[in-house]
Amino acid sequence: MPLLELNDVHTYYGHIHALKGISLHVDKGEIVTLIGANGAGKSTTLRAISGLVRPRQGHIKLHDNEITRLPPHEIVTHGVGHVPEGRGIFPRLTVIENLEMGAYTVTNHSDINQRLETVFNLFPRLKERIYQKGGTLSGGEQQMLATARGLMLNPEILLMDEPSMGLAPVLVDTIFDIIRTLNQQGTTILLVEQNALMALRVASRAYVIETGRIVLSGTAQEIAQNPQVKKAYLGG
């Protein structure tokens, strides 16, 4: 049974048909990547899963439990963490305040402290800047903070939207090393990433989305070797 499953999901922005029958699944322990051009529907797919966009048709299930019609705050409690495109941190709050916001559904203070210890072990740079306002961090540090905030939920699955966007090449390598580490420690990840080459290197499986439809799926290696994918996304 998949951890996360989308079946024939359709979404709209007004009269614009954004997702046109998306079906995909993510098994526990996987990194699955969704690649495609700008405007193809990658971010909308993640937003549909986390409840920020409500599908008009289709089903989204977590552990075979229907979450399609749940509001975002309830989907969070079911174990879906979302690291949004553009990081979406609270710039006027400190690092520690941002992280505590990520754990707003957690009522046990010892659990919060344990999760803080976990994310500071993963991101020691954040611990060094614990009382610094989020808006004054570098781009790479803000991405670390956004990811760490998502992990404060101890999610069943972490949705990551363009984590390398706007980062210097050396920081892109760092972010993808962190993604590998998170997965090795047991976090299931659905990754949206325009840097298709890097995404396919860390993922076990991949889907290619074009104009709101899945057009290819397979192992990351199969997708990386596909001539159409090479030409469109890998510069080959």
Side-chain angles (χ1 to χ4, degrees):
M1 180 191 302
L3 172 59
L4 174 73
E5 185 174 17
L6 280 69
N7 183 26
D8 193 30
V9 170
H10 293 253
T11 66
Y12 291 77
Y13 292 111
H15 296 295
I16 298 172
H17 196 173
L19 299 183
K20 304 167 185 175
I22 293 291
S23 295
L24 59 82
H25 73 275
V26 183
D27 294 331
K28 187 173 178 62
E30 283 192 305
I31 299 177
V32 173
T33 188
L34 185 61
I35 62 175
N38 283 336
K42 304 186 303 296
S43 295
T44 301
T45 300
L46 298 193
R47 290 169 62 84
I49 295 166
S50 60
L52 299 173
V53 176
R54 180 162 291 184
R56 289 194 193 173
Q57 180 181 328
H59 300 276
I60 302 174
K61 294 183 178 181
L62 188 72
H63 284 307
D64 208 35
N65 295 315
E66 188 89 24
I67 62 170
T68 316
R69 300 285 180 254
L70 296 181
H73 69 275
E74 288 189 24
I75 292 174
V76 165
T77 65
H78 280 69
V80 178
H82 191 166
V83 182
E85 180 182 4
R87 297 155 199 154
I89 63 164
F90 300 100
R92 296 185 180 181
L93 299 184
T94 64
V95 166
I96 186 66
E97 288 168 340
N98 268 275
L99 293 175
E100 288 171 345
M101 287 293 288
Y104 78 97
T105 63
V106 183
T107 56
N108 188 314
H109 287 290
S110 64
D111 285 346
I112 293 174
N113 290 334
Q114 186 174 4
R115 293 178 192 185
L116 284 171
E117 184 178 348
T118 298
V119 299
F120 284 143
N121 284 334
L122 275 169
F123 305 100
R125 196 178 304 179
L126 294 181
K127 190 171 185 179
E128 296 170 4
R129 290 156 174 72
I130 190 169
Y131 298 117
Q132 190 171 328
K133 290 189 183 298
T136 66
L137 300 176
S138 70
E141 290 164 349
Q142 288 186 17
Q143 185 60 58
M144 293 177 192
L145 179 56
T147 304
R149 185 184 60 190
L151 291 171
M152 288 296 292
L153 293 165
N154 194 24
E156 288 270 1
I157 184 167
L158 187 64
L159 314 178
M160 301 191 73
D161 195 351
E162 302 285 7
S164 75
M165 180 180 287
L167 299 184
V170 65
L171 289 175
V172 171
D173 290 339
T174 299
I175 290 299
F176 277 93
D177 285 343
I178 289 168
I179 290 170
R180 286 190 188 94
T181 299
L182 291 175
N183 183 246
Q184 289 165 1
Q185 293 180 354
T187 303
T188 303
I189 297 171
L190 178 56
L191 172 66
V192 159
E193 177 55 57
Q194 200 158 9
N195 188 334
L197 185 62
M198 292 293 286
L200 290 169
R201 284 177 179 170
V202 300
S204 52
R205 291 191 301 109
Y207 294 88
V208 180
I209 184 171
E210 292 181 0
T211 58
R213 293 183 174 91
I214 300 293
V215 296
L216 283 172
S217 65
T219 68
Q221 186 175 9
E222 288 169 347
I223 297 298
Q225 295 301 317
N226 182 282
Q228 293 171 294
V229 173
K230 282 184 175 182
K231 182 178 180 181
Y233 306 111
L234 305 180

